Amino acid sequence: MKTKAEAVTVAQKRRKKLTKFDVIAIIILAFFGFITAYPMYFCVIASFSDPTKVMLGDVILLPKDITFDGYERMLQDETIWTGYMNTILYVGVGTFLSVLTTMMIAYPLSRKAFAGRKAVTVILLITMYFSGGMIPSYILVGNLGLRDTRFYMMIAGLISVYNVIVARSFLSMNIPQDLQEAAAMDGCSPIRFFIQMVLPLSKAIMAVLMLYYGVGKWNDYMTALIYLSDESKFPLALVLKGILITTTSGLSYDTEDPMLMMERMKMAESMKYGVMIVSTLPIMCLYPFLQKYFVKGVMIGSVKE
């Protein structure tokens, strides 16, 4: 008879052996991982490779004839730093307001004692599928005096109904009704209970919401394009777009100097990839630290009441 320790050792050895299924799964996942990561890797190496080599298709796995002309051209433009500051302002304040507002809506919806729970949920769900459209929204924002203002860039898309549902599911499962009743018996008001009990116990879902809202607001391009006209208020995306257009606007096949046209083409090619890296680098650096919360948020959203 094998002892318990020997049985555990044998089971561990069996787990270390790869089955055919494990090998096939690893190969498939490695393939999809490669085709997912390679485009970003190519943008990185192409951003500081010789644009001529990139256009000829010589840059595949390693950079060729390293040059930083594209980055130098971008970073010399002072507007890019203004765009960064505007984007950080919009993302920071906007994400804070979005998370706070989402939690304030999700908490009462997670309480079965809330009389209008079903009616409010239906109203929110309707807004997921129907909207007034771009033109009525533009007119409304103009009538409110919010057009071409930084404040509107912070509150645009303030609430996502999907995020409200995710937060509601989390709160209904992790904030028991008994806890609220016990706090009420001790004289705790609903607002105080929400601030001192609900929010501290909801750090996980709040981190998920910060990631969702933060990434969405960082990548938001259309809102600024439609509602902003003052260049000093442009976010990073619009600033980089303007730099790229300025660089490529002189390209035409009727240019008298073919060498000048070639130089402009090379600069435009180099800056094209540099723009992608500059605009995504902060999120790329931040995402690995928040990945576990992102996965947890996906799992929370998959649970239905």
Side-chain angles (χ1 to χ4, degrees):
M1 295 292 293
K2 293 182 178 179
T3 63
K4 185 176 181 180
E6 291 175 345
V8 172
T9 303
V10 172
Q12 291 176 348
K13 290 181 178 180
R14 288 178 179 175
R15 283 198 294 267
K16 290 180 179 179
K17 294 181 179 179
L18 293 178
T19 63
K20 292 182 179 179
F21 175 80
D22 294 333
V23 174
I24 295 174
I26 291 173
I27 293 174
I28 294 175
L29 292 175
F31 171 75
F32 281 105
F34 173 77
I35 63 177
T36 302
Y38 179 75
M40 181 54 68
Y41 172 75
F42 176 79
C43 289
V44 173
I45 61 176
S47 65
F48 53 82
S49 295
D50 185 358
T52 304
K53 300 287 186 180
V54 176
M55 289 187 289
L56 294 176
D58 294 337
V59 178
I60 300 177
L61 294 177
L62 296 174
K64 300 289 184 66
D65 298 339
I66 295 177
T67 177
F68 295 96
D69 292 342
Y71 286 105
E72 290 179 3
R73 176 67 180 273
M74 280 191 299
L75 298 180
Q76 285 174 357
D77 195 326
E78 295 181 357
T79 59
I80 194 172
W81 304 112
T82 303
Y84 256 119
M85 294 302 297
N86 288 333
T87 299
I88 292 173
L89 176 65
Y90 301 153
V91 173
V93 178
T95 300
F96 172 78
L97 294 176
S98 294
V99 172
L100 180 61
T101 308
T102 300
M103 293 297 295
M104 292 174 65
I105 296 175
Y107 174 67
L109 293 180
S110 68
R111 306 295 93 182
K112 294 182 179 180
F114 179 44
R117 181 168 177 254
K118 293 184 178 180
V120 174
T121 301
V122 171
I123 293 173
L124 290 175
L125 290 175
I126 291 175
T127 64
M128 291 182 66
Y129 303 100
F130 303 97
S131 65
M134 182 182 298
I135 295 177
S137 299
Y138 185 83
I139 295 174
L140 175 62
V141 172
N143 292 337
L144 293 174
L146 297 176
R147 194 183 305 157
D148 200 24
T149 62
R150 288 189 172 91
F151 179 70
Y152 182 73
M153 291 299 300
M154 298 175 191
I155 65 172
L158 186 65
I159 299 172
S160 167
V161 178
Y162 171 79
N163 291 339
V164 171
I165 296 173
V166 170
R168 185 197 64 178
S169 300
F170 176 89
L171 294 173
S172 63
M173 292 185 296
N174 293 273
I175 308 296
Q177 188 70 29
D178 296 340
L179 181 62
Q180 181 181 1
E181 294 175 356
M185 291 178 63
D186 292 335
C188 182
S189 65
I191 297 178
R192 183 180 178 185
F193 178 77
F194 176 76
I195 296 174
Q196 295 186 353
M197 296 295 293
V198 175
L199 294 183
L201 293 175
S202 304
K203 292 180 180 178
I205 189 61
M206 291 173 67
V208 174
L209 296 177
M210 287 176 60
L211 179 63
Y212 285 168
Y213 282 120
V215 173
K217 290 181 180 298
W218 182 276
N219 295 325
D220 188 11
Y221 170 79
M222 288 302 298
T223 302
L225 183 64
I226 295 172
Y227 296 104
L228 292 182
S229 57
D230 186 354
E231 294 185 0
S232 64
K233 301 173 184 177
F234 280 4
L236 181 63
L238 278 186
V239 172
L240 294 177
K241 169 180 172 289
I243 294 174
L244 192 59
I245 290 178
T246 302
T247 305
T248 58
S249 61
L251 295 179
S252 62
Y253 291 98
D254 58 351
T255 304
E256 296 182 359
D257 190 349
M259 295 300 296
L260 178 60
M261 185 184 71
M262 181 59 65
E263 288 298 322
R264 288 177 176 174
M265 290 179 61
K266 290 172 61 177
M267 181 59 66
E269 186 72 14
S270 179
M271 290 185 63
K272 177 175 66 176
Y273 296 105
V275 164
M276 297 180 189
I277 301 303
V278 170
S279 60
T280 58
L281 185 61
I283 296 297
M284 290 172 59
C285 296
L286 182 64
Y287 184 78
F289 300 99
L290 300 177
Q291 183 180 8
K292 60 180 180 180
Y293 298 113
F294 182 82
V295 174
K296 188 172 183 178
V298 173
M299 296 302 296
I300 292 172
S302 64
V303 178
K304 306 297 182 183
E305 290 187 273

